Amino acid sequence: MLWLKAFHVIAMVTWFAGLFYLPRLFVYHADTTDEPGLARFEVMERRLFKLMTIGALATIGLGVSMIVEAPGYLRMGWLHAKLGLVLLLIAYHVYCHRLMRDFAQRRNHKTAKWYRLFNEVPSLLLIAIVVLVVVKPF
Ligand code: HEM
């Protein structure tokens, strides 16, 4: 179980590296107008999104493996709340893909300021999820 948990946390770190950096790229992308710059951001975002998705799938897979190994987890309130927040995280991840596609099709109308606010969401979810799983308040 401890090996699963260790790699679960490692995978979570790689997922969050992408969740923090991809919206940051969107901030700069929204202010870019020159063709070489636009093309460079598209390549960077596409590659980062792939790595981020591998991190997400590994985090979820290892998390589910721990539940399969110890089904008693499913009776714990903190895990119910955690999984609710993880669903929000997955929705955020999927929405990033849509935004990335809008940029690639030159259909982005959101401002750099909007992306700066959007970039704060993963930090709030990270704090809430880690407090739930480490402190287990209920
Ligand atoms: C479907 C997704 C997920 C499932 C099913 C899941 C499930 C679990 C389970 C069963 C544990 C073991 C808890 C324990 O024994 O103390 C655990 C540990 C942990 N999870 Fe997740 N998790 C998921 C996603 C995440 C995400 C997105 C994060 C990141 C914010 C995260 C962060 C952690 C941390 C930091 C631990 C270690 C806690 C400790 O050692 O006290 N998990 N997870």
Side-chain angles (χ1 to χ4, degrees):
M1 175 67 89
L2 287 181
W3 282 96
L4 288 177
K5 200 190 288 188
F7 282 96
H8 177 65
V9 175
I10 293 164
M12 176 270 280
V13 171
T14 65
W15 188 9
F16 271 90
L19 288 167
F20 288 146
Y21 194 47
L22 185 59
R24 182 52 50 180
L25 288 177
F26 292 159
V27 170
Y28 305 130
H29 199 163
D31 278 344
T32 300
T33 52
D34 66 296
E35 194 47 48
L38 292 169
R40 190 178 315 114
F41 278 118
E42 282 163 32
V43 172
M44 289 169 75
E45 288 157 7
R46 215 174 31 248
R47 290 186 181 157
L48 182 58
F49 188 80
K50 278 195 192 123
L51 290 175
M52 188 171 127
T53 304
I54 294 167
L57 295 173
T59 304
I60 295 164
L62 290 159
V64 170
S65 314
M66 285 189 277
I67 294 176
V68 170
E69 199 165 297
Y73 276 122
L74 289 172
R75 286 193 297 278
M76 301 181 182
W78 63 265
L79 186 68
H80 302 159
K82 178 183 175 184
L83 294 180
L85 294 177
V86 171
L87 284 180
L88 289 181
L89 209 56
I90 294 168
Y92 185 90
H93 184 111
V94 172
Y95 189 52
C96 280
H97 184 265
R98 197 174 127 196
L99 294 169
M100 189 176 74
R101 203 189 51 212
D102 285 352
F103 272 115
Q105 294 168 357
R106 310 295 159 89
R107 281 191 317 189
N108 172 61
H109 303 296
K110 294 183 172 61
T111 63
K113 187 166 180 235
W114 186 93
Y115 284 112
R116 278 198 180 86
L117 286 175
F118 179 71
N119 200 182
E120 299 309 324
V121 174
S123 327
L124 301 174
L125 288 171
L126 177 70
I127 294 166
I129 295 173
V130 171
V131 167
L132 277 169
V133 73
V134 173
V135 180
K136 301 179 172 65
F138 46 81

